[in-house]
Amino acid sequence: MTTIRRFEMNDLFKFNNINLDVLTETYNMPFYLQYMSQWPESFTVTEAPDGSLMGYMLGKSEGRGNLWHGHVSAVTVAPSYRRLGLAKTLMDDLESISTEVYNAFFVDLFVRASNQLAISMYEKFGYVRYRRVLGYYSGDDPEDAFDMRKALPRDKNKESVVPLDHPIRPEDLEW
């Protein structure tokens, strides 16, 4: 049976099976520690019966006013545990936290514009392409991102997910 629980300090030594994958963004240690200290309820793992980690959600809350929202910084599942619905479980958990704990208007995430598999998955989860962010992913080969959003119950009129009709640049992002 799979368990979902908060990320713990010792998990930093156990998540290489998840992070050593080309589809997973890997961050520096202070980044993970910041999430553990500021948003512990939104940094969760799925754990197998043998204690190995299957996937994790790196989430947080941010914004002001009607832009107050939950944010997915990373959701990833180890290759050997994909196609079991764990990403959906982790996303549902963050959406629930964003609704019940944060009282947020929406949840958002950024995804590479070329990652059609992930975009399709998020769309199945109810997310919409809110806007394109030009050059969001930097490096040798910069790439655009889609800011994808899902309205939560607090946004009764779903105003937070009405798509913009023009792209923006990273420096124009609110948060």
Side-chain angles (χ1 to χ4, degrees), residues 45-70:
V45 298
T46 49
E47 185 177 58
D50 68 0
S52 63
L53 299 186
M54 304 163 78
Y56 67 84
M57 163 65 71
L58 196 58
K60 65 179 178 176
S61 60
E62 62 186 2
R64 288 193 189 96
N66 62 353
L67 293 178
W68 178 247
H69 65 283

Side-chain angles (χ1 to χ4, degrees), residues 34-115:
Q34 177 186 10
Y35 276 72
M36 283 177 59
S37 66
Q38 287 190 267
W39 304 283
E41 66 283 346
S42 298
F43 192 2
T44 56
V45 298
T46 49
E47 185 177 58
D50 68 0
S52 63
L53 299 186
M54 304 163 78
Y56 67 84
M57 163 65 71
L58 196 58
K60 65 179 178 176
S61 60
E62 62 186 2
R64 288 193 189 96
N66 62 353
L67 293 178
W68 178 247
H69 65 283
H71 176 73
V72 178
S73 297
V75 59
T76 189
V77 175
S80 57
Y81 293 109
R82 292 194 180 139
R83 305 218 179 271
L84 299 175
L86 294 176
K88 175 80 168 120
T89 299
L90 289 162
M91 294 294 289
D92 287 349
D93 187 59
L94 181 68
E95 291 165 18
S96 179
I97 290 166
S98 296
T99 299
E100 297 166 16
V101 176
Y102 302 148
N103 194 27
F105 287 92
F106 61 93
V107 172
D108 81 339
L109 57 91
F110 294 94
V111 60
R112 290 180 184 275
S114 65
N115 191 345

Side-chain angles (χ1 to χ4, degrees), residues 25 109-116 118-119 129 131-148 166-171 173:
E25 295 282 338
L109 57 91
F110 294 94
V111 60
R112 290 180 184 275
S114 65
N115 191 345
Q116 193 55 52
I119 292 167
R129 296 181 211 193
R131 60 187 170 184
R132 180 182 284 264
V133 183
L134 302 172
Y136 180 81
Y137 293 100
S138 58
D140 294 337
D141 191 17
E143 186 174 349
D144 296 351
F146 285 117
D147 176 359
M148 299 187 75
H166 61 281
I168 66 165
R169 299 200 170 280
E171 58 268 19
L173 289 167

Side-chain angles (χ1 to χ4, degrees), residues 16-36:
N16 281 345
N17 67 315
I18 303 168
N19 273 4
L20 296 178
D21 174 63
V22 295
L23 298 176
T24 299
E25 295 282 338
T26 301
Y27 303 97
N28 59 37
M29 201 64 66
F31 189 83
Y32 294 107
L33 296 174
Q34 177 186 10
Y35 276 72
M36 283 177 59

